[in-house]
Amino acid sequence: METIDVVIPVLNEEASLPDFCCRLLALPLHLRPIFVDNGSTDNSCRIIKDFPGTVLIQHADNEGYGASLRDGIRSSVTEKIIIIDADGEYPPESIPEMVSALDNHEVVYGSRFAGKQMVDIPWNRALGNKTVTALFDLIFSQEITDLYTGFKGFKRQTVYDLPMHYNGFEHVLEIAARLARNKIRIHEIPVQYRLRNVGKSKMSHFQEVVKLLYLMVFFSFTIRACNRDQFR
Ligand SMILES: Nc1nc2c(ncn2[C@@H]2O[C@H](COP(=O)(O)OP(=O)(O)OP(=O)(O)O)[C@@H](O)[C@H]2O)c(=O)[nH]1
Ligand SMILES: [Mg+2]
């Protein structure tokens, strides 16, 4: 059975990690979870170390969400890579479907808005995400519904070499914009999202949306490459 690297960014997730790890390791796949701890000050690292077969990359200080994903991706070795948050908001049980979708697609995003399911997300966050996503589709000629998802799958060869300059949540846009400019179509599968009911939200959603709108315009002029060689 093929091994799949799963990159999991972590910042102070002691409340959600035990349940998340049990669900992940119960899947009928051969997974290599790569946890990237981003300077947690709680028991997150101790909990991760208790689970066998996991890889733990530790940042001494908080370097940002994007920095965590970059380090996780750069340390991956398998043909397919999955990215999923540690707070349990995206169901690990959808990983097998994403892995199968990667047989036919270079990049797969788990979308909270693609299916018919009720979306457990406050209206203002949904509006912010939908606005940013619509603008992204317009500028970068894609047809996605959830740019900001934290659940993604990649063929490693598609993402491994991409420059990832942004350390914060801007990483989400940088990756998607570079893929689009590289003529990669982002495929989506619907995913059932549940807002965390344990641990604390650490993200300032309004600030991030404003930053992304500005960056989107900036990237539309600066990210021009059409083939992979120009990315390097
Ligand atoms: N906010 C934040 N999360 C980080 C960071 N580094 C790693 N993470 C992890 O990245 C994942 C996504 O972060 P969240 O803060 O949950 O972002 P979100 O799901 O968009 O927003 P919430 O509604 O707050 O859950 C979680 O697993 C975090 O533990 C960081 O610097 N900031
Ligand atoms: Mg979250």
Side-chain angles (χ1 to χ4, degrees), residues 13 85-90 125 193 195-196 201 203 205:
E13 299 291 2
D85 290 349
D87 56 15
E89 293 187 325
Y90 300 90
R125 279 197 208 177
Y193 177 82
L195 276 180
R196 60 163 84 235
S201 172
M203 184 186 177
H205 291 266

Side-chain angles (χ1 to χ4, degrees), residues 18-117:
D19 179 62
F20 175 82
C21 291
C22 288
R23 289 166 66 191
L24 186 70
L25 296 174
L27 295 175
L29 293 174
H30 195 273
L31 302 179
R32 193 176 73 119
I34 305 173
F35 289 91
V36 187
D37 182 74
N38 202 11
S40 292
T41 51
D42 67 359
N43 283 317
S44 292
C45 290
R46 232 167 294 158
I47 294 169
I48 292 165
K49 283 177 189 162
D50 279 347
F51 283 88
T54 59
V55 175
L56 175 61
I57 299 170
Q58 282 182 268
H59 291 172
D61 299 306
N62 183 282
E63 296 179 22
Y65 171 81
S68 299
L69 290 190
R70 180 176 58 230
D71 287 356
I73 290 169
R74 297 276 194 249
S75 68
S76 66
V77 294
T78 55
E79 192 199 331
K80 297 173 185 169
I81 312 172
I82 305 292
I83 288 171
I84 188 166
D85 290 349
D87 56 15
E89 293 187 325
Y90 300 90
E93 292 75 17
S94 291
I95 290 178
E97 187 187 348
M98 185 164 279
V99 168
S100 300
L102 283 170
D103 285 339
N104 300 314
H105 304 277
E106 295 285 300
V107 177
V108 180
Y109 279 19
S111 169
R112 293 165 283 186
F113 306 107
K116 293 197 175 77
Q117 75 274 17

Side-chain angles (χ1 to χ4, degrees), residues 146-157:
D146 191 359
L147 178 68
Y148 234 104
T149 176
F151 182 37
K152 299 170 186 165
F154 300 98
K155 291 260 182 68
R156 181 170 171 277
Q157 60 176 23

